[in-house]
Amino acid sequence: MAGRRGRALLALCGTLVACAWLLGVEAQEPGTPAAGMRRRRRLLQEDGISFEYHRYPELREALVSVWLQCTAISRIYTVGRSFEGRELLVIELSDNPGVHEPGEPEFKYIGNMHGNEAVGRELLIFLAQYLCNEYQKGNETIVNLIHSTRIHIMPSLNPDGFEKAASQPGELKDWFVGRSNAQGIDLNRNFPDLDRIVYVNEKEGGPNNHLLKNLKKIVDQNTKLAPETKAVIHWIMDIPFVLSANLHGGDVVANYPYDETRSGSAHEYSSCPDDVIFQSLARAYSSFNPAMSDPNRPPCRKNDDDSSFVDGTTNGGAWYSVPGGMQDFNYLSSNCFEITVELSCEKFPPEETLKSFWEDNKNALISYLEQIHRGVKGFVRDLQGNPIANATISVEGIDHDITSAKDGDYWRLLVPGNYKLTASAPGYLAITKKVAVPYSPAVGVDFELESFSERKEEEKEELMEWWKMMSETLNF
Amino acid sequence: MGLLWTGTWILVLVLYNTTIQAFPKPGGSQDKSVHNRELSAERPLNEQIAEAEADKIKKTYLPENNAGESNYSFADNLNLLKAITEKQKIEKEKQSIRSSPNDNKLNMEDVDSTKNRRLIDDYDSTKSGLDHKFQDDPDGLHQLDGTPLTAEDIVQKIATRIYEENDRGVFDKIVSKLLNLGLITESQAHTLEDEVAEVLQKLISKEANNYEEEPNKPTSRTESQAGKIPEKVIPVATIQDGFTNGENDETVSNTLTLTNGLERRTKTYSEDNFEELQYFPNFYALLKSIDSEKEAKEKETLITIMKTLIDFVKMMVKYGTISPEEGVAYLENLDEMIALQTKNKLEKNATDNKSKLLPAPSEKSHEETDSTKEEAAKMEKEYGTLKDSTKDDNSKPGGKMEEQEEKTEAYLEAIRKNIEWLKKHDKKENKEDYDLSKMRDFITQQADAYVEKGILNKEEADAIKRIYSSL
């Protein structure tokens, strides 16, 4: 009809001039608004959080905007480049960005490791903006979190895959397109398989932590590792992460180690030494996500087997066996405890649903962040007060040790209970302390270790003392 | 300059399109069949009554009687005709209703008071003129002095109505209904059309002559004429076969008149430079600052752009696409936007007032501010694009510029929030007054570091540095 054509023309002109002019004007037909403008800020709401999918340029700009708004507490950096050259961007939020303050635990969120699992990516962008906004508004919880934690947010570990997935036409994105990186590597099967090694060590004896030996050979010279995988491994080795979560899509559950079954079967509950705390951590996420913790939620697909799901959580192996995953790699190569959170039945849901995903996950994301302040933490120093790095802290009854970081600081996540902690280091005498651990906050326990040489000196001195005393008594 | 022409033509065409909403495509073929009929000299009273009734449709009528289409009684026919023309008029009525009561309310003075009032007067006066005609003559069958209407009077009335309503479709609908109902024969309809067309032509040429005699009339008058004339030209042109060549020539001359009008319009821009623009203090200041000869061209282009912008906003208000308040708010924000951009460009240090102006709008609803700011930004970049093409020295596609502007806008917003928070934060902790220069250095350093690492690209870093240096 001419009327509609005429109006569309006017709308087009109006669009050229002021497309987002008035949200309420009905005269604007969805004729042909410029794609760039339509993509952006159409859903701009709430303090700069735009609930729409961010391609790589928009992702970068969103993070830059957060940084510009919160320069005092944020910093953007990159851990490396994807295969196609996109920066693996991370935004860090802390009261002293760029600096590890001794005693301040490090946290990370990683999203979109499978490029077509898009919700995590977007949620992390929203989270960064949200944390910045809330901090500036004086939200106590957030302010305390940022002052006491160093939060690293990597919205996308696989930007190449995302671009591929997002470029697919139509509303329904494929289950597989964009999952792997540009080389076709599934990043969550690409990490060195340390589960195998720990299972052997369990049987035959051997270390229960930090199993990645010879970083150079196994990582840097390994042609089978994707650049994204390598970048993350270096990142994990560089920063003493304590707690982490890896965001995925395709189901709705919080998954914890071990992912790979001991016997190699398809489904088997494969508990790790820290099964108890991991269950608690996973619940801390799922219980704040209404869909995840809903006991009556039907499975995502009719024939899905969600028998292993309990309260929105599941052991990895019990659900299905995953070798070479990032989650277990964290636990077995470093001090970092990581869970895998599946956020959505649909891997790449329609843009209009993003806002409700945010609402469902906002509190869960914050709650999980707060879990880092649990258990026991402190410093391991020598008698002169110098920090002892790489000291081992073991907990009686838990066959998994952690180590102290460069400043001698350590953080040991534990559920409430009574524990005996032992700190030891080569050349030093171990010390054991008893600790009563509440739910939260973390209990501070410091260790001053005496080195062997010092003890020898002491003993020598004692001996001399005794000899002097003897000689005086006996009149030598 | 060429693009400005095109732009103006597009505006004009847009106007045409909006107003001829009911311009019926199938009407073209209908016209053909109508032309085969003949209209005798004397027509039955029913017809005269019917046409006259159809003419004076009141604003408050609703098209409730569509269902009566199968009914053939006289009263129903009248209602039918009313209803049909009503449908077409309702939209335009709405627009005029929307714009006329509100126009006087607001601070249009701030923007462009004299011009806008004239626009309203134009629009309203024709309407009120029509009302006056029919006020004492509810059924339209008599002249003011009580004598019954002749056929000529009716034709005159129809023509006037079409002219003032800018809607040729009115006539088509009436005629087709009359034909369908058998009130007139085809030949009668054809003759009627011819007669109406003739009267219409006379009306147009009379107007055109008036128009040519008044070169000093302000641009709003020009614009409303320019807006109306092409609409007349085109419907007149489609009343096809019956036209003589003379009439076609008139069409051409009307086009020429239009052209002259446009030329005159652009000329008036440079002539009465600052009259309209006094309502834009920042823009005015900017113009004043461009004094050098080499920038004179730029100055002119800026003025033209600004005027076109204002006219476009007025048009949008007139046609009800936006409300006058929105138009005013938009233009006010545009002015502020210009101020900001000016400062960035000329690298002056803003006064405290200026930097406070930016946070001030946030006290209003956030949404409103954002949308108006975005409008301003988009207007800016739209005309930035125009400006560039007229200068013929920019190869950047318009789309990319839009995105850049949007991005800078977002960054600006973020920076503003940051500064606000920092100031508040420092006050709370009783630190010394916030040290902007230190911040600036830090940001510059960080921006450069980010460029090296590939986190920012060079343009973004420059934009950020520029924004900080202008605070």
Side-chain angles (χ1 to χ4, degrees):
Chain A
M1 233 186 89
R4 202 180 296 153
R5 178 168 56 86
R7 296 188 100 209
L9 227 143
L10 182 64
L12 181 65
C13 277
T15 310
L16 283 174
V17 174
C19 158
W21 201 319
L22 299 162
L23 306 173
V25 172
E26 288 151 28
Q28 281 190 354
E29 298 252 3
T32 47
M37 276 198 258
R38 186 167 128 78
R39 197 172 59 220
R40 299 167 184 281
R41 299 180 212 297
R42 183 164 58 95
L43 305 165
L44 185 72
Q45 330 180 12
E46 294 181 58
D47 296 320
I49 300 182
S50 57
F51 294 102
E52 47 193 5
Y53 278 116
H54 294 68
R55 301 287 283 261
Y56 181 73
E58 287 95 67
L59 166 72
R60 200 175 51 78
E61 283 156 28
L63 295 183
V64 170
S65 295
V66 173
W67 169 65
L68 283 173
Q69 185 182 335
C70 288
T71 45
I73 57 164
S74 69
R75 181 181 79 103
I76 303 176
Y77 64 97
T78 161
V79 299
R81 291 223 180 111
S82 71
F83 184 74
E84 287 176 349
R86 294 182 177 88
E87 297 293 344
L88 302 173
L89 293 170
V90 180
I91 183 162
E92 172 200 334
L93 290 149
S94 104
D95 56 345
N96 200 346
V99 174
H100 171 83
E101 295 175 309
E104 188 178 57
E106 309 254 4
F107 181 97
K108 65 172 157 62
Y109 269 127
I110 301 183
N112 196 222
M113 142 183 239
H114 290 142
N116 61 344
E117 295 171 14
V119 177
R121 174 188 173 113
E122 297 306 319
L123 289 187
L124 291 180
I125 297 171
F126 305 156
L127 179 68
Q129 183 70 62
Y130 175 79
L131 289 173
C132 172
N133 293 339
E134 292 299 303
Y135 184 85
Q136 291 191 330
K137 284 185 199 161
N139 179 330
E140 253 189 73
T141 311
I142 306 297
V143 170
N144 289 336
L145 253 180
I146 289 180
H147 284 180
S148 61
T149 326
R150 209 171 154 218
I151 303 166
H152 304 257
I153 297 174
M154 181 194 274
S156 177
L157 177 52
N158 186 1
D160 298 349
F162 180 81
E163 292 302 314
K164 212 179 281 178
S167 314
Q168 279 190 279
E171 276 292 303
L172 293 173
K173 307 283 189 240
D174 192 89
W175 196 255
F176 292 110
V177 171
R179 173 188 173 88
S180 45
N181 82 338
Q183 299 163 299
I185 296 174
D186 182 339
L187 296 175
N188 207 28
R189 305 285 185 278
N190 191 229
F191 284 79
D193 187 353
L194 302 178
D195 288 35
R196 284 276 130 248
I197 299 173
V198 87
Y199 291 156
V200 167
N201 289 356
E202 278 173 357
K203 281 194 274 202
E204 299 171 6
N208 63 18
N209 65 94
H210 290 78
L211 300 176
L212 184 73
K213 302 290 176 233
N214 203 340
L215 192 71
K216 219 165 156 40
K217 186 165 143 231
I218 293 181
V219 179
D220 295 334
Q221 293 166 7
N222 187 342
T223 51
K224 294 216 185 91
L225 291 184
E228 294 91 345
T229 312
K230 285 188 185 158
V232 166
I233 295 177
H234 281 285
W235 193 32
I236 293 171
M237 297 296 122
D238 275 345
I239 297 180
F241 288 110
V242 177
L243 184 62
S244 168
N246 176 4
L247 306 184
H248 286 248
D251 217 306
V252 184
V253 73
N255 173 111
Y256 53 86
Y258 287 126
D259 268 345
E260 193 180 339
T261 56
R262 279 187 176 82
S263 63
S265 67
H267 309 271
E268 185 183 81
Y269 196 104
S270 314
S271 62
C272 71
D274 280 292
D275 193 58
V276 181
I277 179 71
F278 268 116
Q279 282 191 29
S280 177
L281 292 170
R283 276 210 178 83
Y285 191 96
S286 68
S287 59
F288 281 88
N289 178 325
M292 219 178 268
S293 54
D294 178 3
N296 301 320
R297 185 181 68 82
C300 284
R301 287 150 290 272
K302 209 168 53 152
N303 297 325
D304 275 0
D305 179 11
D306 62 352
S307 50
S308 62
F309 292 13
V310 179
D311 294 339
T313 71
T314 181
N315 169 265
W319 187 19
Y320 65 97
S321 183
V322 169
M326 186 164 72
Q327 170 195 276
D328 289 0
F329 180 84
N330 268 281
Y331 182 69
L332 294 173
S333 72
S334 74
N335 296 317
C336 183
F337 287 17
E338 177 167 293
I339 66 170
T340 303
V341 184
E342 303 271 351
L343 294 163
S344 57
C345 285
E346 243 185 291
K347 290 193 175 186
F348 207 133
E351 193 171 70
E352 301 81 60
T353 58
L354 285 177
K355 182 157 201 274
S356 72
F357 276 116
W358 169 246
E359 294 303 325
D360 277 359
N361 283 283
K362 182 168 69 173
N363 296 325
L365 289 165
I366 302 295
S367 155
Y368 189 72
L369 258 168
E370 291 176 307
Q371 300 299 301
I372 205 172
H373 298 289
R374 283 179 72 180
V376 186
K377 67 170 183 182
F379 286 86
V380 182
R381 299 189 181 97
D382 65 14
L383 290 178
Q384 283 73 46
N386 301 318
I388 301 176
N390 240 347
T392 303
I393 289 94
S394 50
V395 179
E396 190 182 74
I398 299 180
D399 187 20
H400 182 82
D401 303 338
I402 57 141
T403 59
S404 61
K406 285 192 199 108
D407 298 303
D409 40 358
Y410 74 94
W411 307 265
R412 203 350 167 155
L413 296 170
L414 293 166
V415 293
N418 295 314
Y419 299 90
K420 283 196 197 144
L421 254 71
T422 306
S424 60
Y428 290 84
L429 293 162
I431 293 180
T432 303
K433 291 194 179 183
K434 277 192 191 163
V435 192
V437 175
Y439 181 83
S440 180
V443 179
V445 178
D446 293 340
F447 294 89
E448 278 79 36
L449 300 186
E450 186 182 26
S451 69
F452 287 148
S453 51
E454 278 168 335
R455 170 52 68 95
K456 261 203 208 107
E457 281 299 316
E458 259 186 55
E459 283 174 352
K460 228 199 276 179
E461 264 184 43
E462 269 181 34
L463 206 63
M464 288 307 292
E465 280 289 321
W466 182 84
W467 184 251
K468 225 164 75 179
M469 189 190 73
M470 285 301 289
S471 55
E472 275 169 14
T473 314
L474 299 172
N475 279 329
F476 287 7
Chain B
M1 227 33 201
L3 199 72
L4 195 60
W5 274 116
T6 321
T8 323
W9 270 106
I10 290 173
L11 289 174
V12 161
L13 283 171
V14 161
L15 288 174
Y16 154 62
N17 268 331
T18 34
T19 51
I20 311 290
Q21 288 182 2
F23 195 74
K25 277 186 195 145
S29 53
Q30 262 179 37
D31 288 347
K32 278 213 170 79
S33 56
V34 163
H35 285 309
N36 295 330
R37 302 176 181 183
E38 286 175 36
L39 199 63
S40 63
E42 178 82 32
R43 286 177 293 125
L45 187 59
N46 320 11
E47 282 180 49
Q48 298 187 28
I49 294 170
E51 284 181 7
E53 281 301 317
D55 278 350
K56 58 160 192 67
I57 301 296
K58 293 303 174 207
K59 291 180 190 181
T60 52
Y61 260 110
L62 294 168
E64 288 166 344
N65 300 318
N66 276 344
E69 263 182 280
S70 54
N71 209 323
Y72 282 89
S73 75
F74 177 64
D76 281 349
N77 290 336
L78 279 182
N79 289 336
L80 248 174
L81 291 168
K82 282 182 201 156
I84 290 155
T85 47
E86 189 49 39
K87 252 192 296 184
Q88 291 143 13
K89 293 205 186 335
I90 277 272
E91 300 240 37
K92 280 199 301 318
E93 311 298 15
K94 275 194 193 149
Q95 288 171 8
S96 66
I97 290 171
R98 245 188 282 155
S99 48
S100 45
N102 288 334
D103 279 343
N104 295 322
K105 245 198 297 180
L106 270 207
N107 303 340
M108 289 297 257
E109 283 97 25
D110 286 352
V111 174
D112 205 359
S113 59
T114 51
K115 294 230 175 287
N116 279 322
R117 271 194 232 114
R118 281 195 211 104
L119 190 70
I120 298 160
D121 287 346
D122 283 347
Y123 206 70
D124 280 346
S125 62
T126 53
K127 271 218 141 0
S128 53
L130 205 66
D131 286 344
H132 283 311
K133 267 191 205 160
F134 290 117
Q135 214 154 31
D136 298 323
D137 191 4
D139 56 4
L141 295 177
H142 303 280
Q143 302 246 33
L144 287 172
D145 59 357
T147 59
L149 286 178
T150 62
E152 287 81 25
D153 291 329
I154 291 179
V155 169
Q156 181 72 32
K157 271 196 178 177
I158 295 174
T160 317
R161 190 77 193 181
I162 293 171
Y163 178 68
E164 281 152 0
E165 294 299 313
N166 299 342
D167 190 1
R168 188 218 180 280
V170 172
F171 177 83
D172 289 320
K173 287 289 180 184
I174 297 171
V175 166
S176 61
K177 277 297 161 192
L178 291 171
L179 287 168
N180 288 340
L181 297 168
L183 291 173
I184 59 172
T185 66
E186 282 198 29
S187 57
Q188 287 174 327
H190 180 66
T191 316
L192 176 66
E193 219 176 328
D194 287 342
E195 292 181 18
V196 169
E198 272 180 46
V199 174
L200 206 57
Q201 271 298 308
K202 287 191 196 122
L203 273 173
I204 290 169
S205 18
K206 206 177 18 159
E207 275 302 320
N209 287 333
N210 292 343
Y211 176 81
E212 284 194 15
E213 282 165 10
E214 299 170 43
N216 294 325
K217 268 211 169 166
T219 53
S220 65
R221 179 93 203 156
T222 312
E223 156 209 317
S224 62
Q225 291 300 336
K228 285 183 179 176
I229 284 174
E231 295 144 24
K232 293 304 158 299
V233 169
I234 294 159
V236 160
T238 59
I239 301 174
Q240 324 145 347
D241 305 324
F243 273 19
T244 64
N245 285 336
E247 286 171 342
N248 281 333
D249 285 342
E250 274 193 46
T251 313
V252 170
S253 72
N254 283 334
T255 320
L256 282 176
T257 314
L258 169 67
T259 316
N260 288 338
L262 284 176
E263 272 181 356
R264 194 171 302 114
R265 176 154 67 140
T266 46
K267 260 199 218 137
T268 5
Y269 284 169
S270 37
E271 275 164 16
D272 63 328
N273 269 352
F274 298 119
E275 190 193 288
E276 199 172 33
L277 298 172
Q278 59 184 293
Y279 300 105
F280 290 85
N282 295 308
F283 187 64
Y284 190 64
L286 172 66
L287 289 177
K288 280 271 184 234
S289 69
I290 305 173
D291 271 328
S292 60
E293 272 180 0
K294 59 177 176 167
E295 288 181 305
K297 197 174 157 201
E298 198 180 60
K299 187 177 185 176
E300 240 182 71
T301 322
L302 273 172
I303 292 168
T304 314
I305 289 168
M306 202 56 186
K307 295 255 179 182
T308 319
L309 221 80
I310 295 165
D311 285 340
F312 196 81
V313 171
K314 287 196 290 199
M315 260 182 257
M316 298 279 268
V317 171
K318 176 179 172 184
Y319 288 100
T321 310
I322 58 167
S323 80
E325 304 91 64
E326 284 152 355
V328 171
Y330 165 74
L331 288 169
E332 281 173 351
N333 273 296
L334 177 62
D335 195 45
E336 276 179 34
M337 205 50 197
I338 290 169
L340 182 70
Q341 295 291 348
T342 311
K343 293 214 162 18
N344 288 343
K345 186 183 177 183
L346 301 176
E347 284 187 333
K348 281 179 193 162
N349 281 325
T351 61
D352 281 348
N353 289 337
K354 265 295 161 229
S355 59
K356 277 184 190 122
L357 258 179
L358 287 176
S362 70
E363 284 153 25
K364 296 186 238 164
S365 94
H366 193 81
E367 195 180 283
E368 186 191 344
T369 317
D370 274 352
S371 57
T372 49
K373 273 201 148 64
E374 282 172 74
E375 301 156 28
K378 277 169 191 134
M379 275 293 234
E380 276 272 319
K381 78 193 163 232
E382 158 66 4
Y383 283 97
T385 317
L386 266 182
K387 176 178 161 185
D388 284 342
S389 349
T390 55
K391 274 194 167 180
D392 244 341
D393 62 354
N394 198 332
S395 57
K396 253 195 231 175
K400 190 182 177 203
M401 277 200 61
E402 283 168 6
E403 286 180 16
Q404 294 273 44
E405 288 288 345
E406 267 193 29
K407 203 187 350 183
T408 318
E409 182 70 29
Y411 289 174
L412 187 68
E413 185 64 24
I415 290 170
R416 185 180 63 73
K417 286 187 190 160
N418 191 17
I419 302 290
E420 249 183 76
W421 180 81
L422 283 164
K423 286 196 177 135
K424 203 167 42 163
H425 185 72
D426 285 339
K427 267 197 202 117
K428 251 196 251 172
E429 300 194 356
N430 296 322
K431 283 199 191 136
E432 311 157 358
D433 267 342
Y434 185 66
D435 193 349
L436 192 59
S437 61
K438 226 195 266 179
M439 188 67 181
R440 205 181 299 161
D441 293 336
F442 172 70
I443 293 291
T444 312
Q445 191 190 43
Q446 280 283 24
D448 289 332
Y450 281 179
V451 170
E452 265 177 66
K453 297 207 183 110
I455 293 166
L456 279 177
N457 58 45
K458 197 84 184 55
E459 297 92 52
E460 287 174 319
D462 289 339
I464 291 166
K465 282 190 242 180
R466 210 171 47 228
I467 293 171
Y468 264 95
S469 64
S470 72
L471 291 170

